[in-house]
Amino acid sequence: MSRDRLSRREWLRQTSLLGAVAPLAFPSYPAFGQDIVQEPEKLLPRDPAPGLPAKLFSFDPSLYRFTADEDVFLDEVEQACFLYFWEQANAKTGQIEDRGSADGGTPRNASSVAATGFGLTALCVAARRGWEEDAAVRDRVRATLSFALKNIQHQHGFMYHFISGETGQRILNSEVSPIDTCLFLCGALTCRAYFDDKEIQGLATELYERIDWSWILHGGQTFSMGWIPEQGFLKSRWDTYSELMMMYLLGFASRTHPLAPSVWNEWQRPRFEFDQVPYIGAHAPLFAHQYSHAWFNFRGLHDKYADYFANSIIATKIHKMWCLELAVRFPDYSEDLWGISASDSEHGYAVWGGPPAMGRIDGSIVPCATGGSLVFMPKECIRALQNIREKFGKRTWKKYGFVDAFNPLTGWASSDVLGIDAGITLLMAENARTGFVWEQFGKNPEVAKALELAGFQPNAKT
């Protein structure tokens, strides 16, 4: 199988993400903690967040509650995304395709461990909401975890980015990837917490505890971005703000090979500014502000550097404002049509976004940019998603939900769905509706331990 496009990991290895370090703290959110969800349709009350900059917000956008019609719409989105994970998995091994046709079709036997991690979490949501029979879901989870433990090629517990869904062997000359392994682990640990099943719990625990976190440090203070057998460790490191938080937190809480908590202070938190509003940012697509938040509930918490949940709200708002500024060049961008993150494009896979602008922006819209931001700006994000389906549905809405990207100006639309993009949409939609993924993942005792070791504390009441 050929791949004439850069994956997000390949791009990160080739791009410098370093910036000036400037610790940034935001005024406090009231304590929120780990929501305890009794029913999928209910969400516990939350206090407002007065710390958001008044220049951008007159109220905390994350406090918005979906209407009944909006909730039905999100349920349809989630179920369509789940169908991708249910059907685009190897029937025997449970490993999920990196990408697949938006109209369905036979899996292509190119799985990504990250997509499988999102898919494992999606299975928990499906079981909770009754989209598939509980016994069938449990069987799929057991098969997926058992195959991963026994058959997926790995080094010191870290798995290759792309594998054959049939054999578990490395494909596409991919790297042993700590971030993709951790996306898988977050899914496995969500299953461990949700399913009262000793076999599932044992498999997930063994996958977690076999990881030697010090190995991927490769003598440094931060993780190498990967290892390949042809040349060894990659020179690039996970040393600046991005989706990296989940990796270090999982390492801190390991029972068997714990990572020193001092590592939390070794990665940089560059200070960005847009319209005189400061925030911690990255020269990376919008997913950098989303992925760790899909499982770790940072709301109402801060370390000595920042409130990362508030930071992601600010970064999302600024991304929208930046998209609206681009309307001078690309008149499709509007209040109800915005959002760019790494995705397919007319010319192959594109690692684009901003601000500052990166990649060859061409007016394309990426639904997972707003789908993955639903917990931060639910009202504005759901308006964008509904608008995409209502105005462009014939081209953009297929069997597995939204296609990966489309361009209203040229008429182009991707023919595929990407597992990680469907995954972040499903998880963030569920968290925005109920907090379910946060609650289940937070049941793992390692989560509270990791946050404590990293120095997180509840925000002060105001």
Side-chain angles (χ1 to χ4, degrees), residues 284-286 319 322-333 338-347 349-366 406-410:
L286 193 58
H319 177 79
W322 172 76
C323 286
L324 296 183
E325 287 189 358
L326 290 177
V328 175
R329 295 169 54 200
F330 309 111
D332 55 323
Y333 295 142
W338 55 277
I340 313 168
S341 191
S343 71
D344 284 345
S345 77
E346 285 188 75
H347 307 290
Y349 195 78
V351 181
W352 49 14
M358 59 183 300
R360 296 172 57 187
I361 308 297
D362 65 0
S364 289
I365 297 291
V366 184
F406 70 104
N407 191 320
L409 301 177
T410 66

Side-chain angles (χ1 to χ4, degrees), residues 17-54:
L17 299 179
L18 297 179
V21 178
L24 178 66
F26 294 99
S28 297
Y29 269 70
F32 181 61
Q34 302 291 329
D35 287 344
I36 304 300
V37 178
Q38 300 300 325
E39 298 293 339
E41 295 77 15
K42 297 179 181 179
L43 187 69
L44 293 185
R46 298 184 298 205
D47 294 326
L52 296 172

Side-chain angles (χ1 to χ4, degrees), residues 193-462:
Y194 179 72
F195 293 104
D196 184 15
D197 185 299
K198 292 189 180 301
E199 183 179 358
I200 289 173
Q201 293 168 351
L203 290 167
T205 299
E206 193 169 351
L207 283 160
Y208 181 25
E209 294 188 346
R210 75 178 181 180
I211 292 184
D212 182 356
W213 299 93
S214 62
W215 175 76
I216 203 68
L217 286 172
H218 184 47
Q221 297 300 310
T222 54
F223 291 153
S224 167
M225 282 197 171
W227 179 92
I228 55 176
E230 293 81 9
Q231 69 181 60
F233 285 98
L234 304 176
K235 293 181 180 180
S236 299
R237 287 186 174 269
W238 288 102
D239 56 8
T240 192
Y241 173 81
S242 59
E243 67 273 34
L244 57 70
M245 290 190 290
M246 68 174 75
M247 294 191 297
Y248 292 114
L249 290 170
L250 288 171
F252 297 159
S254 170
R255 184 183 68 85
T256 52
H257 306 283
L259 190 66
S262 59
V263 171
W264 193 252
N265 301 311
E266 300 298 329
W267 53 274
Q268 300 183 359
R269 297 159 175 85
R271 184 180 186 272
F272 284 61
E273 191 172 285
F274 184 89
D275 196 20
Q276 299 182 321
V277 175
Y279 65 104
I280 293 173
H283 293 286
L286 193 58
F287 67 67
H289 297 285
Q290 299 172 348
Y291 279 12
S292 286
H293 293 264
W295 289 277
F296 283 92
N297 183 7
F298 295 104
R299 187 183 178 103
L301 302 175
H302 69 279
D303 66 1
K304 65 181 180 180
Y305 300 102
D307 176 332
Y308 298 100
F309 191 88
N311 187 70
S312 285
I313 294 176
I314 294 168
T316 305
K317 182 70 171 184
I318 285 173
H319 177 79
K320 177 186 175 181
M321 294 168 62
W322 172 76
C323 286
L324 296 183
E325 287 189 358
L326 290 177
V328 175
R329 295 169 54 200
F330 309 111
D332 55 323
Y333 295 142
S334 69
E335 274 289 330
D336 295 333
L337 193 63
W338 55 277
I340 313 168
S341 191
S343 71
D344 284 345
S345 77
E346 285 188 75
H347 307 290
Y349 195 78
V351 181
W352 49 14
M358 59 183 300
R360 296 172 57 187
I361 308 297
D362 65 0
S364 289
I365 297 291
V366 184
C368 73
T370 45
S373 299
L374 280 161
V375 300
F376 307 125
M377 298 202 322
K379 182 178 182 179
E380 291 169 274
C381 289
I382 196 170
R383 284 176 62 183
L385 292 171
Q386 288 179 314
N387 187 41
I388 293 170
R389 184 170 174 183
E390 290 169 4
K391 290 188 177 180
F392 308 98
K394 290 183 179 180
R395 285 188 285 132
T396 66
W397 182 263
K398 305 291 183 180
K399 183 178 184 181
Y400 299 138
F402 292 112
V403 299
D404 194 57
F406 70 104
N407 191 320
L409 301 177
T410 66
W412 170 84
S414 174
S415 60
D416 281 358
V417 168
L418 270 64
I420 57 175
D421 294 348
I424 194 62
T425 299
L426 191 161
L427 270 59
M428 291 304 219
E430 187 61 37
N431 277 333
R433 296 170 72 197
T434 68
F436 173 76
V437 178
W438 287 333
E439 183 241 337
Q440 295 304 315
F441 184 73
K443 288 179 178 178
N444 290 290
E446 293 89 348
V447 173
K449 178 181 178 181
L451 292 170
E452 180 181 0
L453 290 171
F456 280 91
Q457 299 180 359
N459 291 337
K461 293 280 188 180
T462 57

